[in-house]
Amino acid sequence: MTPSKYEIDQITKEEAAIIAKQYFGIKSNVSILPGEIDFNFKISTPEAKKYILKIGRTNQLDDYIDFQEKLLIHLQEKKSDIPFPKIIQTIDNEYFAIHIDANNNKRKVRLLEWIEGRLWDNVNPKKTNLFTSLGEICGQTTQLLQDFNHPFASRKFDWDIANAKWIYEYKYLFSKTENDIIHYFTEKFESFKIKYTQLRKSVIHNDANENNILVNNDLGETQVITIIDFGDAVYSQSINDLAVAICYAVMNLPDPLAAALPIVTGYHKQFPLLEEELELLYTLVAMRLILSVTKSAINKEKEPENTYLFISEKPAWDLLTKWKNIPEKLATYAFRNACGLEILHNRNSFMDWAKKETFSVYELLPSLVFTAILPLDLSIGSQFLGNFENYTNDVKIYQKVIQFQAENNDKLPAGGYLEARPFYSTKAFEIEGNNGIEYRSYHLGVDFWQKEGTAVHAFYEGEVFAFANNTANKDYGPVIILKHNFGVNQYFYSLYGHLSTESLEHLFIGKTIKKGEKIGSLGHIYENGGWPPHLHFQLMLDLLELSTGFPGVGSPRLLPIWEAVCPDPNLLFKNDALNTNLAPNSILETRKKHLGKNLSLSYSDPINMVRGELQYLIDKTGRRYLDTVNNVAHVGHEHPRVVEAGQKQMAVLNTNTRYLHENITKFAKALSETLPQELSVIYLVNSGSEANELALRMAKSFTNQKDIIALEVGYHGNTQACIDISSYKFNGKGGNGQPENTHIVPLPDSFRGIYRGDNTGEQYAEHIKEAIKNIQKKGRGVAAFIAESIVSCGGQIVLPPNYLKLAYEYTRKAGGLCIADEVQVGFGRVGKTFWGFQLHDVVPDIVTMGKPIGNGHPLAAVACTPEVAKSFANGMEYFNTFGGNPVSAAIGYEVLQVIKDENLQENAFNIGEIFKKRSNVLQNEFPIIADVRGQGLFLGIEFCDENKKPATVQTAYLSERMKQHGILTSVDGQDNNVLKIKPPMCFNEENVDFFMKYLEKILKEDRMKL
């Protein structure tokens, strides 16, 4: 078999080492680097010096070497801050050497200085600042080369976008689908050929790919420091350099346009771009990708062994497909915005025209008689919409809107421009961003809510530009677009959505619609994807070639572009009721001013949450966050049945327990039925802190003692009595240390505690014996032992076998009571049992509950034995103003029923097992996952190095990054190295998949390395 050209030219590592010694006097270790024109090697000397050895192919031109030499010298003379590679001279003081190989072929050999850093491909994650710095380095390089030229730079070069016509003869290498994409972009490229030839030209690097971009070694603030390998440098349009950088930098990303924009910003900062260059950038990016896939297809046939030559083939095709799905003008407007330029040329002239003109909503809907426009709030946090059940159900939202219209029949409900709406925070409007899931949540028009059949008329003369029956499209339904003239060759478009299908009859493109002429009428609910009858009215200054596929909603990330393309319809109507409030959010500043400084916020960049929906929380922009933290929302945020139970009772009566009411006895009976029969007496209070405070009072009353035994790193509430037994607080920041009557025993952590292994329960329980002895030595007795059944703040610590049984035994023998703090772990969360203490086959004397019992409503409880209750009833009245009121009791009862009806305890067990299994799979790949533990949906993932040293910094980073990907987590444990998982009980397998997808992604990031 005849060897390929690649095999003939190939240089081995051993040969490279000999060449380095022969011409540069360097003894070295050699490793192979990728390359197309040259064979590249990394040279490391015993003196710890590093170089790049470049050995040419057998047919290399002399001019090529001279060009490379002169270019690098030019950059060195510029004395910029960018560390470009310096040429190392041979032992004969030449810039290159001529090597005669074993086949008597001449090869040109060069040695360049090694620049310390990481290749672009080895950086993970790539954040916005990194893309910006790439643009800056590339722009600065283009600027530095403006006054450099060389005869070889003007060669005809396959990798020059300006010379891309050669690819046309290779279409036979591709499938029909691939050729369709190629044709789409090459047709655009040919259409602006004259414009393109007139653009600025200079010598450009032309190859800022993943193997030629060097990034600093700082894992915190990653920055591009230089670009290397000028082997593809060519004299061409300057803008091509930016197109090339974008191509390779945004590959393998879900949203390439979002990643491209900071590159454009950085490039423009160093090398200001012209409008005519930005106009062509979208297509130039695609043309470079087409060059790449064509080269790959050819090279696979020529040199199948040289995998470097087609390493980018699949990512390039993926990117081409995504790039084609981005409207060209949308990309161009985004590029202009990234450079701080006016987004649309006709926007200012339209705004000037709109200021002078005034139109009336009455002209749009002349058959209606209304005294005013009434704003209808459909925003994410809309109280009109209320519970999510109302807007996820077509019938219910229809009924709400119809009722609202009936109650305000002399007014026209309207509004919604740039309103983020919860309808659009759903799968139908979901897009995958570079940091998780995003939503097209912002409404780009104004809605006028009125009965089906209401006539819609032209507010201004125009012609029919497009129409379609998009009944299946929840954005619009049947839609008509009119084109309007507002000056010489100046146009805007108006869109009328959610019309009746009859409105489209007798229409034709180009038909003139005079002002006041009827356009159509509003459609019914079945014609419009379940929406109540209304007119969606939207203005567009550019249709982005989308016609009737133009979206009615846009993503927050591109909101400045959508706002420019789709101006506020109220510019025409000038009605105060339609004004959009886009004032900056000042919640954080107000909070800092008026709330206590030690009232903490989650995350370095706090989230403005406005809505809850079962296992999700939704912020004001419509971004949906998977909640793995809030065990408070036990059966799900704003569970419809729980909400309804509270609303119904609140509408009737809410008072204290001094009156008879069925709700408190009904709830107390239902709650006691979930407990062992010994715990038959219930006290209802308002919070877990209050429940634990009451439990301590009961224990002290029963025993006539004051000393409490509690666990290390335990937390039981924020009242003073609870703080006094919570070492998590009194030994933490601002704490006053351990009180005299509190006795802390070691945290029974069998993974990283003072005793390790499966059978450590007896060893840890011995410390309770010791604590009892110390109390008795002082002539005092034990009031109580208190512990969570799984220790939460300590790091989701599962108590070792037999520990709790022995702890209760020793405490009772000493005359004390046993308190089970079930505030966080109770109500079926542990899966196997309804209460956490039942995992250990014990029955406490007192059980405290909180948080989950009211699903977020301030409700808690204490359950105890009749003996404890009798002792506490010593003549002093126990009264709680709000504890056990009819509303709270109704909510608590409904929570219990939902747990039962929706099989949430069983779900907790099943999903918990799946979660642990999936976590253990990741643990095999990522040793930083040191331990996975817990029961049901009360789990912990602990992060440590191989010596069990806590990975505190990495855990904090992980939590922040999960939030950036739309997943809420929380960190706990003595060393803040445990991710605690305690989501609403409706958490499902799809949620586990979503969580694990991003957990795995982030575990691969540089900052997670130990």
Side-chain angles (χ1 to χ4, degrees), residues 10 14 41 52 219 248 257 281 668 704 789 843 853 978 995:
Q10 183 67 56
E14 292 73 22
F41 302 88
I52 297 176
L219 300 184
Y248 296 103
L257 180 59
L281 181 58
N704 290 315
S789 305
V843 177
I853 196 173
V978 180
F995 181 95

Side-chain angles (χ1 to χ4, degrees), residues 218 256 275 350 382 389 409 416 463 522 539 617 625 696 705 757 769 806 980:
D218 184 346
E275 292 190 12
F350 174 80
S382 166
E389 189 183 46
N409 60 5
E463 65 177 49
L522 301 189
L539 300 181
L617 288 171
Y625 293 84
L696 294 174
Q705 302 295 334
K769 266 189 179 180
L806 289 173
K980 56 184 179 183

Side-chain angles (χ1 to χ4, degrees), residues 689-690 692-694 696 700 708 715-727 729-730 734-739 742:
S689 297
E690 191 179 354
N692 279 325
E693 173 100 14
L694 180 57
L696 294 174
K700 291 173 183 178
I708 307 293
Y715 174 67
H716 300 283
N718 60 20
T719 67
Q720 188 59 57
C722 292
I723 294 293
D724 284 347
I725 62 166
S726 301
S727 76
K729 287 294 184 182
F730 65 63
N736 295 320
Q738 185 171 322
T742 297

Side-chain angles (χ1 to χ4, degrees), residues 22-24 69 87-97:
Q22 182 177 348
Y23 299 107
F24 298 97
E69 173 193 326
I87 304 171
I88 307 300
Q89 293 184 328
T90 68
I91 55 178
D92 295 326
N93 296 319
E94 299 290 343
Y95 284 112
F96 65 90

Side-chain angles (χ1 to χ4, degrees), residues 6 9-11 38-41 53-55 57 107:
Y6 178 74
D9 275 358
Q10 183 67 56
I11 297 289
D38 298 308
F39 293 102
N40 299 321
F41 302 88
L53 180 68
K54 301 179 76 67
I55 302 174
R57 292 177 179 249
R107 295 175 180 272

Side-chain angles (χ1 to χ4, degrees), residues 221-240:
E221 289 298 322
T222 50
Q223 297 284 331
V224 173
I225 53 177
T226 191
I227 47 177
I228 57 174
D229 194 348
F230 285 78
D232 281 4
V234 67
Y235 183 76
S236 189
Q237 279 73 7
S238 301
I239 188 65
N240 291 350

Side-chain angles (χ1 to χ4, degrees), residues 519-731:
I519 299 171
S521 58
L522 301 189
H524 57 67
I525 184 171
Y526 304 111
E527 294 175 293
N528 287 287
W531 289 105
H534 71 286
L535 171 65
H536 174 97
F537 179 74
Q538 184 170 324
L539 300 181
M540 295 90 74
L541 297 181
D542 193 319
L543 285 176
L544 309 178
E545 300 179 354
L546 296 173
S547 189
T548 54
F550 196 98
V553 288
S555 65
R557 178 180 49 75
L558 289 177
L559 193 58
I561 316 304
W562 291 119
E563 184 179 0
V565 173
C566 302
D568 186 352
N570 202 35
L571 291 167
L572 304 178
F573 302 126
K574 300 175 179 61
N575 189 302
D576 289 343
L578 293 176
N579 283 339
T580 301
N581 180 19
L582 295 177
N585 194 329
S586 60
I587 294 176
L588 184 58
E589 289 71 25
T590 306
R591 179 184 173 110
K592 287 178 179 177
K593 182 177 179 181
H594 295 291
L595 297 181
K597 297 291 185 286
N598 53 352
L599 189 65
S600 65
L601 281 164
S602 295
Y603 305 109
S604 55
D605 181 19
I607 311 170
N608 184 183
M609 292 298 187
V610 294
R611 180 169 286 278
E613 187 177 311
L614 295 179
Q615 62 269 57
Y616 297 97
L617 288 171
I618 306 173
D619 72 11
K620 66 172 186 173
T621 72
R623 181 152 198 200
R624 182 179 289 255
Y625 293 84
L626 179 63
D627 187 358
T628 72
V629 178
N630 275 288
N631 62 324
V632 179
H634 189 64
V635 298
H637 290 283
E638 282 58 67
H639 192 289
R641 283 177 54 180
V642 178
V643 170
E644 184 180 18
Q647 288 175 332
K648 281 184 174 179
Q649 183 56 51
M650 187 174 286
V652 178
L653 174 70
N654 194 25
T655 186
N656 61 53
T657 54
R658 285 200 168 108
Y659 304 100
L660 290 176
H661 197 280
E662 180 187 22
N663 282 6
I664 188 170
T665 54
K666 182 179 176 183
F667 175 45
K669 181 175 181 292
L671 183 58
S672 65
E673 287 172 353
T674 69
L675 291 157
Q677 61 181 8
E678 294 92 331
L679 299 164
S680 58
V681 182
I682 307 292
Y683 289 83
L684 296 179
V685 293
N686 304 296
S687 70
S689 297
E690 191 179 354
N692 279 325
E693 173 100 14
L694 180 57
L696 294 174
R697 281 181 59 195
M698 287 177 165
K700 291 173 183 178
S701 174
F702 185 87
T703 62
N704 290 315
Q705 302 295 334
K706 298 179 180 178
D707 288 72
I708 307 293
I709 300 173
L711 298 186
E712 179 186 18
V713 206
Y715 174 67
H716 300 283
N718 60 20
T719 67
Q720 188 59 57
C722 292
I723 294 293
D724 284 347
I725 62 166
S726 301
S727 76
Y728 179 77
K729 287 294 184 182
F730 65 63
N731 282 333

